[in-house]
Amino acid sequence: MYLDDFIFSDAGGNSYLNLLDINSVGGAEILKGPAGSLYGAGTGGAVLLNTANLLRNVYADSTAIKLTMNGGRFGTFNQGLQFQRNSKHVSYSLIQGHAQADGYRDQSRMRKDNLLFRMSLQGNEKVRTEILMMYTDLFYQTPGGLTLAQFLSNPRQSRPGTATIPSVKDQKTAVYNKTAILGLANTVQLNENWKTVSSFTTSVTGFKNPFLTNYERRDELNIGLRSKWVYENSKGFPFQWVSGVEVQKGEYSVDSSGNNKGIPDQNKINDEVMSRQQFVFSQVALSPSRFIHLQAGFSYNTFQYSIERKIGVPS
């Protein structure tokens, strides 16, 4: 999954899709088949998300502001504010979003605050630099599953306690996710046919999950590099050749312990996890006539994963 030219999925393949505010997404493209070779193994395809653009078809100096608010049942309230400024050499946008709800069931309240900054710098006709910064603070409770008898009795209740396991309300089960993402991309038009696009993406995540039977905490750091060369020729029949490389590395510290009413106990286990993936890719697309489009893609992928237990048995 990608957000503009930046890698959104982490090095382990996880995509925290719920970090995004719906008002910050302007469009989505799903790639399958040979087109997916540009984005790795392509076994599941790729999703390309575009940030919202209020001035997509406006090229002169201009400014736009958009405010959205809506509400609904069960304490639902959503608010979004978007500001965008375009000029000849610089364009930038700031998107702020807030969402909250009490939920239909007990122990299902949620809150999310999102801030996204996007800037494009056009130094000259041949060089363009893109900057992306995003921060999200997400919280949502987890109400647990019900038996059929419990559902028929009260479908809005959270999972009750038993003689051996406390209720989810007593355990304060929830997910807390604070993530910051930084991306830098550079496009250079070398000549009429050739250009290069390179991007750097890094993210930091603090994750907590007091669960029914345990309390998990994770600190995650991801770094990704992507670079591609593009050749395009529109004369005769259109022809495009794209080749490049992508590398990602993730380092994760995972703590797990017992959950004592929303507080981690002393039975701590710590794992240090490292994941790394890299691939090279190449794709050719041509249209020998108006009704024939040919496409072929290739990618070579490697993935490495390691885990070391620092605290706990077995080591």
Side-chain angles (χ1 to χ4, degrees), residues 80-126:
L81 177 64
Q82 182 175 356
F83 173 84
Q84 185 169 340
R85 168 68 182 166
N86 281 9
S87 63
K88 182 178 180 180
H89 297 291
V90 180
S91 65
Y92 59 90
S93 63
L94 182 65
I95 305 174
Q96 172 267 331
H98 171 81
Q100 67 181 53
D102 295 331
Y104 173 74
R105 297 177 60 193
D106 294 335
Q107 193 66 18
S108 62
R109 189 164 52 89
M110 66 82 62
R111 173 197 48 77
K112 176 167 65 176
D113 289 291
N114 177 275
L115 191 64
L116 187 148
F117 176 76
R118 186 82 162 82
M119 176 178 283
S120 178
L121 305 172
Q122 190 77 41
N124 53 53
E125 295 181 353
K126 295 185 177 182

Side-chain angles (χ1 to χ4, degrees), residues 104-108 142-162 167-169 212:
Y104 173 74
R105 297 177 60 193
D106 294 335
Q107 193 66 18
S108 62
T142 52
L146 299 176
T147 66
L148 178 59
Q150 291 167 345
F151 174 79
L152 294 175
S153 172
N154 179 11
R156 299 189 63 174
Q157 67 176 313
S158 58
R159 176 172 174 165
T162 67
S167 68
V168 294
K169 186 176 292 187
L212 193 63

Side-chain angles (χ1 to χ4, degrees), residues 8-9 25 42 54 67 72 88 100 105 141 162 179 209 212 214 224 232 237 245 250 275 298-299 304:
F8 188 76
S9 301
V25 179
L54 294 178
L67 173 65
K88 182 178 180 180
Q100 67 181 53
R105 297 177 60 193
Q141 296 174 321
T162 67
T179 295
N209 178 207
L212 193 63
N214 73 304
E232 291 180 306
F237 59 83
V245 62
S275 62
F298 163 85
S299 67
Q304 295 172 303

Side-chain angles (χ1 to χ4, degrees), residues 173-207:
T173 60
V175 169
Y176 302 81
N177 188 327
K178 296 182 179 181
T179 295
I181 298 176
L182 171 65
L184 301 172
N186 198 52
T187 301
V188 180
Q189 191 73 42
L190 301 174
N191 54 40
E192 182 181 357
N193 301 113
W194 285 95
K195 72 175 180 180
T196 65
V197 182
S198 301
S199 66
F200 165 82
T201 311
T202 184
S203 65
V204 179
T205 295
F207 183 94

Side-chain angles (χ1 to χ4, degrees), residues 13 22 35 75 112 127 143 162 164 168 192 196 206 213 255 295:
I22 190 63
K112 176 167 65 176
V127 180
T162 67
T164 56
V168 294
E192 182 181 357
T196 65
T213 55
D255 293 343
Q295 191 176 57

Side-chain angles (χ1 to χ4, degrees), residues 3 25 34 38 41 43 65 71 74 83 91 100 124 146 148 159 161 168 188 199 215 217 228 276 281 291 311:
L3 182 60
V25 179
L38 295 176
T43 52
I65 299 176
F74 312 115
F83 173 84
S91 65
Q100 67 181 53
N124 53 53
L146 299 176
L148 178 59
R159 176 172 174 165
V168 294
V188 180
S199 66
Y215 194 117
R217 292 181 293 184
K228 63 181 179 181
R276 187 172 65 191
F281 58 88
F291 56 90
I311 301 174

Side-chain angles (χ1 to χ4, degrees), residues 232-240 285-290 292 294:
E232 291 180 306
N233 184 8
S234 58
K235 298 178 181 178
F237 59 83
F239 174 82
Q240 183 190 63
L286 63 152
S287 300
S289 69
R290 288 182 299 173
I292 295 178
L294 303 176

